[in-house]
Amino acid sequence: MAATKKPRLRLRDVALCRLLSVVFVTLCGVLLLIFLLSSNSTSTTIVTHDTDSVDAYHHDLKFEKWHDLPQQSDLSLRLEKMNRLPPRNLDLYPTLAKDHIIVVLYVHNRPQYLKVVVESLSHVVGIGETLLIVSHDGYFEDMNKIIDGIRFCQVKQIYAPYSPHLFSDSFPGVSADDCKDKDDPTEKHCKGNPDQYGNHRSPKIVSLKHHWWWMMNTVWDGLRETRDHSGHVLFIEEDHFIFPNAYRNLQVLTSLKPKKCPDCYAANLAPSDVNSRGEGWATLIAERMGNVGYSFNRTVWKKIHNKAREFCFFDDYNWDITMWATVYPSFGSPVYSLRGPRTSAVHFGRCGLHQGQGENKACMDNGMVNINVEQPDTVSNIELGWNVHTYENQPGYKAGFKGWGGWGDHRDRHLCLSFANMYQ
């Protein structure tokens, strides 16, 4: 009887062991799965928390990994990270006004000029309602110190990470094997393509057009603060004096533009003739778009962006001449801008782009800028009931002008095209 029971006990024991093994493995698997899910959830939370203020940039600012852009320098990479920082002075100006007009100030390396425009902006009525973006072509401590002192509005600094000023021994800066002046590439065994006049690229000169195009693409399509902004953006430069009524006048102009001048692409603070202070008439003015205090919206930007190839392949290192001579004419109709009859911004620069740096005051009269601000310049002086006077057939650069050169190198042209694609 005992002999017949033993095998049954063994079979039962074996079955029980197998059952326990299955249960044990199943429990281990469940615990492991719970651990992995928990770990993954924790990791995601940390990443989200750490990048909460810059999450919109993680896709946009990694464009160099899949576009044909130059190898970045250490400084270039550091500056690109700084572009992700939120605006300053949020404690003083926590919110922006509804339908605000963003102001973009693009600068190079003329601190004496920058002090003047920043001081003028500090007196602009309504400036505290909006965001001021300062776009730097290169990194210069003297320029940074001036921007650091701004307390009159939200301010955000961005730096062109592919500025030639950041690359000391490689493109887009100067390379050892680059052709210079009118070098013959075959004789000199050097690199580069000459412009239409036989001159090779100058990094300091081409930086002007590179910076403007990179800035436009970044402001409209790259920055978290502006990528969804559909209203107007005002663009000014470091040698533009801005009158106290500029922002309020611009608000009036942009509101009147759809009714008074539906064919106008932009609104301007100043006449296209930089030497003019306006006509003083009781009428609005429609004329070709100027390069002092100009503003337009996203619809116009898309039209400009669609002409990236025309912009990038036109042999002129000036962004504004490129626009006048090839981009605007390609729209198929005159490109007018609406402005008031009295200027609200003045171009005061007397030096070229790469002069007037450091403490050199030779570019100013006795080291100062003397601009007379009268009482009408302190308040909005545009009447809602005014009619529009249109200037037709104005002198200036038009379709057919071949350009001043300086933009013949294929590398500059393809870098320019890369900027057009980096946020698309």
Side-chain angles (χ1 to χ4, degrees):
M1 194 72 162
T4 59
K5 286 183 179 180
K6 279 184 182 179
R8 272 193 215 128
L9 288 173
R10 283 200 202 99
L11 288 172
R12 238 180 295 172
D13 291 342
V14 171
L16 182 61
C17 288
R18 286 179 178 174
L19 178 62
L20 290 173
S21 298
V22 171
V23 172
F24 178 77
V25 170
T26 302
L27 285 172
C28 288
V30 171
L31 289 172
L32 179 61
L33 181 61
I34 292 171
F35 173 78
L36 289 174
L37 289 172
S38 175
S39 174
N40 186 56
S41 175
T42 304
S43 174
T44 303
T45 303
I46 291 173
V47 170
T48 303
H49 175 75
D50 288 344
T51 62
D52 184 57
S53 62
V54 296
D55 57 352
Y57 296 102
H58 274 257
H59 171 72
D60 294 333
L61 295 183
K62 290 180 180 178
F63 58 81
E64 72 275 7
K65 290 186 178 180
W66 56 80
H67 283 294
D68 186 21
L69 290 165
Q71 182 68 37
Q72 287 182 270
S73 63
D74 290 341
L75 177 57
S76 171
L77 289 168
R78 288 200 299 272
L79 293 178
E80 191 169 70
K81 290 181 180 178
M82 290 174 65
N83 291 348
R84 308 178 189 185
L85 296 175
R88 296 198 300 273
N89 298 334
L90 291 175
D91 55 331
L92 302 174
Y93 307 93
T95 58
L96 301 176
K98 184 181 179 181
D99 299 329
H100 60 280
I101 299 173
I102 293 168
V103 181
V104 177
L105 168 62
Y106 50 104
V107 303
H108 307 282
N109 184 22
R110 295 181 289 186
Q112 292 299 321
Y113 282 3
L114 182 59
K115 289 177 184 176
V116 175
V117 68
V118 168
E119 176 63 20
S120 72
L121 283 171
S122 71
H123 299 290
V124 169
V125 178
I127 193 67
E129 300 173 6
T130 189
L131 168 67
L132 172 65
I133 298 174
V134 183
S135 182
H136 295 263
D137 181 16
Y139 183 86
F140 305 101
E141 282 294 344
D142 288 343
M143 303 293 281
N144 282 329
K145 289 177 183 176
I146 297 169
I147 304 304
D148 285 344
I150 293 178
R151 296 291 181 271
F152 50 78
C153 66
Q154 286 189 24
V155 59
K156 178 182 176 68
Q157 286 176 275
I158 57 175
Y159 301 85
Y162 294 95
S163 167
H165 301 290
L166 305 180
F167 296 80
S168 58
D169 56 5
S170 63
F171 178 83
V174 180
S175 301
D177 57 351
D178 278 351
C179 296
K180 299 177 179 61
D181 301 324
K182 291 185 180 288
D183 283 349
D184 184 336
T186 305
E187 279 185 23
K188 297 283 187 176
H189 303 288
C190 55
K191 184 188 300 182
N193 312 98
D195 65 11
Q196 59 187 312
Y197 305 107
N199 298 303
H200 287 277
R201 75 186 297 266
S202 168
K204 289 183 179 180
I205 295 298
V206 298
S207 70
L208 177 64
K209 189 168 177 176
H210 278 312
H211 179 211
W212 189 87
W213 188 240
W214 172 87
M215 172 192 71
M216 282 292 172
N217 281 275
T218 299
V219 166
W220 286 109
D221 298 325
L223 296 183
R224 178 183 184 182
E225 293 83 3
T226 54
R227 58 187 299 172
D228 296 322
H229 182 78
S230 59
H232 280 66
V233 176
L234 169 66
F235 296 92
I236 57 177
E237 204 165 349
E238 66 195 24
D239 57 358
H240 297 169
F241 183 95
I242 311 301
F243 288 168
N245 65 359
Y247 188 76
R248 294 295 186 227
N249 270 353
L250 190 60
Q251 288 179 313
V252 175
L253 287 169
T254 55
S255 67
L256 290 177
K257 185 163 66 73
K259 303 173 185 176
K260 298 284 187 176
C261 189
D263 293 330
C264 283
Y265 283 73
N268 257 83
L269 293 178
S272 60
D273 178 2
V274 295
N275 297 314
S276 172
R277 295 296 178 265
E279 300 80 1
W281 305 335
T283 180
L284 296 169
I285 307 296
E287 64 169 357
R288 75 184 184 99
M289 194 186 302
N291 59 4
V292 177
Y294 55 96
S295 68
F296 51 85
N297 60 22
R298 184 170 296 278
T299 300
V300 175
W301 163 243
K302 287 180 178 179
K303 289 182 69 70
I304 294 172
H305 187 269
N306 286 338
K307 302 298 179 180
R309 190 167 187 84
E310 287 85 345
F311 181 89
C312 292
F313 277 76
F314 185 70
D315 189 9
D316 195 306
Y317 66 90
N318 298 283
W319 68 265
D320 47 3
I321 295 176
T322 299
M323 295 294 291
W324 288 325
T326 187
V327 175
Y328 295 149
S330 71
F331 288 172
S333 60
V335 176
Y336 288 116
S337 182
L338 189 67
R339 64 170 173 85
R342 184 182 177 99
T343 190
S344 291
V346 174
H347 177 269
F348 64 83
R350 296 181 58 191
C351 286
L353 176 62
H354 302 289
Q355 296 172 290
Q357 301 173 2
E359 294 301 315
N360 179 15
K361 297 179 174 62
C363 293
M364 302 181 183
D365 296 325
N366 300 318
M368 300 180 66
V369 172
N370 297 309
I371 296 175
N372 187 27
V373 178
E374 300 177 355
Q375 196 281 330
D377 304 319
T378 63
V379 294
S380 179
N381 52 19
I382 296 175
E383 298 292 335
L384 301 182
W386 282 349
N387 293 321
V388 179
H389 176 84
T390 302
Y391 283 119
E392 298 179 0
N393 302 316
Q394 284 182 279
Y397 298 98
K398 293 183 174 66
F401 177 65
K402 294 183 178 180
W404 293 112
W407 195 263
D409 199 298
H410 293 344
R411 293 171 296 175
D412 287 316
R413 295 178 173 189
H414 286 99
L415 177 60
C416 179
L417 282 179
S418 294
F419 291 161
N421 295 324
M422 61 188 175
Y423 302 117
Q424 302 306 307

